[in-house]
């Protein structure tokens, strides 16, 4: 299995532009998580999907952020418009069972976003 | 609000030292606690703990959960420079069944 695949690996964009981050979870995994990591705040959960349905999006910072999971093999995180304070590494992770309690989450390699 | 707190935030030791990293949690509907190691890129899984008092061990690393104290420790014996990393503690739980991370402990092992 190729693991969790994220794209792009690096993104540099100008303030105000739309940014779309992509994630392909491991096949057969039912839970998908989007995290943002910064030095100041560590690894923050943004949104969590179970069986393609958003379960908890309370971590999404504001309306500029949106996430979708149109099917079991693909998810996107969109920022529109982007701001410099959105600069961070964004990780996608997936795990096996709907409850996800008894299996670890596997992480993608992350997307390093820089907004200038 | 559910939270996971790790201490210390950073730690510098010399090769051969033994270190203990701490994780405490206040999470409703606790299900399990996980430890991850993060070097330059993605976090990689170390341990999952669900039962109190049962030690999980892998080489020089070991971990144990104390549900009464709502905490866990990660021990690394005979540290090596390759152990330098951020160690992350996470808990499955909360009202939505989330995976909630602490801020991590940055361990630096000097030769």
């Amino acid at each position: 299995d190729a693991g969790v695949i994220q794209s792009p690996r690096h993104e540099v964009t100008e303030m105000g532009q739309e940014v779309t981050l992509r994630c392909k979870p491991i096949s057969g995994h039912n839970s998908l998580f989007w995290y943002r990591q910064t030095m100041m705040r560590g690894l923050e959960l943004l949104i969590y999907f179970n069986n393609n349905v958003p379960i908890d999006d309370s971590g999404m910072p504001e309306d500029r952020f949106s996430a979708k999971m149109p099917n079991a093999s693909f998810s996107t995180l969109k920022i529109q418009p982007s701001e410099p304070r959105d600069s961070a590494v964004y990780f996608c992770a997936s795990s096996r069972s709907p409850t996800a309690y008894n299996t670890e989450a596997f992480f993608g390699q992350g997307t390093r976003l820089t907004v200038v | 609000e559910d939270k996971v707190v790790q201490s210390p935030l950073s730690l510098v030791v010399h090769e051969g030292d033994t270190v203990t990293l701490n994780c405490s949690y206040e999470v409703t509907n606790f299900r399990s606690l996980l430890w991850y190691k993060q070097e330059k890129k993605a976090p990689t899984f170390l341990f999952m703990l669900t039962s109190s008092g049962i030690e999980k061990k892998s080489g020089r690393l070991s971990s144990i959960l104390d549900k009464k104290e709502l905490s866990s420790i990660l021990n690394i014996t005979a540290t090596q420079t390759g152990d330098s990393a951020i160690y992350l503690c996470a808990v499955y739980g909360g009202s939505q069944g989330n995976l909630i991370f602490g801020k991590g402990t940055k361990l630096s092992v000097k030769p």
Side-chain angles (χ1 to χ4, degrees):
Chain A
D1 198 321
V4 177
I5 299 173
Q6 290 187 246
S7 64
R9 294 291 304 277
H10 301 274
E11 176 82 37
V12 181
T13 191
E14 289 185 337
M15 183 173 63
Q17 296 298 305
E18 177 180 296
V19 175
T20 299
L21 312 182
R22 296 174 178 79
C23 175
K24 177 176 165 43
I26 292 172
S27 177
H29 281 193
N30 302 98
S31 295
L32 184 140
F33 307 85
W34 280 101
Y35 290 92
R36 176 172 68 176
Q37 189 175 37
T38 61
M39 290 289 292
M40 290 293 292
R41 301 173 69 93
L43 205 59
E44 301 173 277
L45 178 67
L46 299 176
I47 188 167
Y48 159 49
F49 291 89
N50 252 354
N51 294 319
N52 313 339
V53 176
I55 301 300
D56 183 2
D57 65 355
S58 59
M60 297 285 261
E62 48 197 272
D63 292 345
R64 298 184 297 107
F65 285 69
S66 63
K68 293 182 181 179
M69 192 165 185
N71 56 60
S73 59
F74 184 64
S75 177
T76 59
L77 178 68
K78 187 176 291 187
I79 309 172
Q80 165 63 18
S82 57
E83 296 182 3
R85 62 191 166 119
D86 301 330
S87 298
V89 180
Y90 290 81
F91 285 105
C92 175
S94 71
S95 64
R96 188 184 308 277
S97 65
T99 54
Y101 300 142
N102 60 350
T103 60
E104 69 270 29
F106 294 84
F107 280 78
Q109 291 301 301
T111 295
R112 181 175 292 279
L113 173 65
T114 304
V115 183
V116 297
Chain B
E1 182 185 341
D2 296 322
K3 61 181 179 181
V4 177
V5 178
Q6 292 186 245
S7 63
L9 289 181
S10 66
L11 190 56
V12 180
V13 300
H14 288 94
E15 271 192 318
D17 289 349
T18 293
V19 298
T20 298
L21 310 183
N22 301 287
C23 175
S24 63
Y25 59 90
E26 291 178 25
V27 176
T28 56
N29 301 318
F30 171 90
R31 298 293 184 173
S32 57
L33 185 144
L34 295 82
W35 284 97
Y36 283 82
K37 177 181 181 182
Q38 186 178 24
E39 296 175 88
K40 293 192 190 290
K41 295 183 179 175
T44 54
F45 173 75
L46 293 174
F47 298 113
M48 173 178 278
L49 304 160
T50 54
S51 301
S52 231
I54 298 175
E55 185 182 57
K56 293 277 182 93
K57 199 170 170 64
S58 176
R60 296 176 294 102
L61 277 67
S62 63
S63 183
I64 196 162
L65 175 67
D66 186 338
K67 284 186 176 180
K68 190 175 175 184
E69 296 295 325
L70 306 182
S71 66
S72 174
I73 58 171
L74 175 67
N75 281 320
I76 310 175
T77 58
T79 52
Q80 302 171 357
T81 54
D83 296 327
S84 297
I86 297 172
Y87 290 84
L88 295 161
C89 173
V91 172
Y92 271 128
S95 59
Q96 308 286 2
N98 289 335
L99 184 58
I100 305 157
F101 278 83
K103 285 188 166 48
T105 293
K106 183 176 181 180
L107 174 65
S108 299
V109 182
K110 304 292 186 188

